[in-house]
Amino acid sequence: MYLGDEAWPDLESYFESESLALVPVGSTEQHGPHLPEGTDHLIAEALAREAASRTGYLCTPTVNIGVSPHHRQFHGTMWVDPPVFREYMESLARNLTYHGVDRIVFVNAHGGNVQHLREVGRRLHDDGTAYALEWMWNESIPELVDDCFEVNGPHGGPKETAMIMHIAEALVHEDRLTEARDDGLVDWGRETGRQFGARTFYDAIENTDNGVLGDQTDATPEKGERLFEAATEQLCKLSEWLADRDETELLPREHV
């Protein structure tokens, strides 16, 4: 069920019987020369709406702009400052609790949002308002991501390219995949942008001139479909698990 498609009288029965909501969260930021700036929010919304369709749980409208100042040098990147993002997401979550929701899954597709969504979840948990989890799609299927691509990349790489090929193939500039790979940073790893254990970069452009990492030519719509189906299955299972929890399991523990 997608909240934005429903009339308010038709939502009453949902809130009477269910207490879980899926909230897709992404970003609007550069994803290299080959992918749309909406890559992250397109992925988040597609996964959340598909999981909602399969499970019957509620999917809210998507939060399209997140914490992305580290991509600001590239044309069109949009962002809000971290404190503003956290306050907005907490306010949105508390809005849902007004209608009876006390379990929330932030269906996230942007790494820059992770720590802030976790902090929002902690705030809501600490005062017993709601139990909110941050869920990042690729972290739910790490083995499959590794199996699909010889050289993956955490941003604008083959996994995101494949997902958009599956979700919205018309938005992919397939004639620029080789350019994306050759002008980006293909060989990256744990030590990229680090010296003696310290992270030495703040902005994406300090690591990659065109904003992307990995080998984009390794992406295909078929791989994207495999990733999408596997991640959706994980999200459905998480939703069912959370919905089945007794309320007492989700409340903060008493001081020892």
Side-chain angles (χ1 to χ4, degrees):
M1 175 184 289
Y2 179 65
L3 187 149
D5 288 344
E6 303 295 325
W8 72 262
D10 304 314
L11 288 165
E12 181 179 6
S13 60
Y14 181 84
F15 291 120
E16 286 178 343
S17 61
E18 302 289 352
S19 58
L20 185 142
L22 303 174
V23 180
V25 191
S27 69
T28 299
E29 63 182 25
Q30 72 84 17
H31 274 79
H34 63 300
L35 289 180
E37 303 231 343
T39 290
D40 288 345
H41 71 247
L42 289 169
I43 292 172
E45 180 168 337
L47 288 167
R49 293 188 71 154
E50 182 63 22
S53 175
R54 295 184 188 186
T55 62
Y57 294 121
L58 185 70
C59 174
T60 73
T62 305
V63 178
N64 289 341
I65 298 174
V67 181
S68 303
H70 49 295
H71 294 291
R72 68 186 185 278
Q73 288 91 349
F74 298 93
H75 301 308
T77 292
M78 304 186 72
W79 70 90
V80 294
D81 291 333
V84 176
F85 178 77
R86 291 192 295 267
E87 290 300 322
Y88 179 87
M89 294 306 302
E90 182 177 349
S91 180
L92 188 156
R94 291 185 186 279
N95 161 206
L96 289 170
T97 67
Y98 178 81
H99 297 295
V101 168
D102 65 4
R103 297 136 210 255
I104 298 168
V105 179
F106 294 124
V107 181
N108 183 34
H110 174 49
N113 294 338
V114 172
Q115 62 180 310
H116 308 294
L117 292 172
R118 287 282 300 169
E119 174 59 24
V120 170
R122 171 172 288 282
R123 293 181 188 179
L124 296 167
H125 181 255
D126 283 353
D127 63 17
T129 299
Y131 193 84
L133 295 174
E134 183 274 335
W135 179 84
M136 185 78 172
W137 73 270
N138 56 288
E139 292 181 1
S140 76
I141 51 170
E143 295 85 3
L144 178 58
V145 172
D146 288 341
D147 288 345
C148 281
F149 308 109
E150 184 174 346
V151 182
N152 193 24
H155 183 76
K159 67 173 179 283
E160 291 184 327
T161 303
M163 284 285 272
I164 297 299
M165 284 178 167
H166 172 62
I167 294 167
E169 189 170 14
L171 298 181
V172 180
H173 297 275
E174 296 194 33
D175 59 328
R176 300 178 185 171
L177 295 180
T178 300
E179 172 193 344
R181 178 196 65 194
D182 294 348
D183 294 343
L185 179 61
V186 177
D187 297 321
W188 63 277
R190 180 176 176 81
E191 295 306 312
T192 300
R194 303 184 73 88
Q195 291 290 340
F196 309 107
R199 178 170 163 169
T200 57
F201 70 96
Y202 287 96
D203 297 325
I205 201 169
E206 295 168 28
N207 284 328
T208 165
D209 290 339
N210 72 351
V212 292
L213 306 167
D215 183 0
Q216 293 74 22
T217 65
D218 201 15
T220 66
E222 292 74 23
K223 290 179 180 180
E225 183 177 12
R226 286 182 65 194
L227 297 175
F228 184 84
E229 288 299 317
T232 299
E233 181 179 358
Q234 291 293 96
L235 181 54
C236 289
K237 289 180 178 179
L238 174 63
S239 300
E240 297 287 2
W241 173 86
L242 185 54
D244 287 343
R245 301 275 69 76
D246 186 270
E247 183 181 4
T248 58
E249 297 179 59
L250 306 179
L251 294 172
R253 301 293 179 90
E254 295 291 336
H255 191 289
V256 296

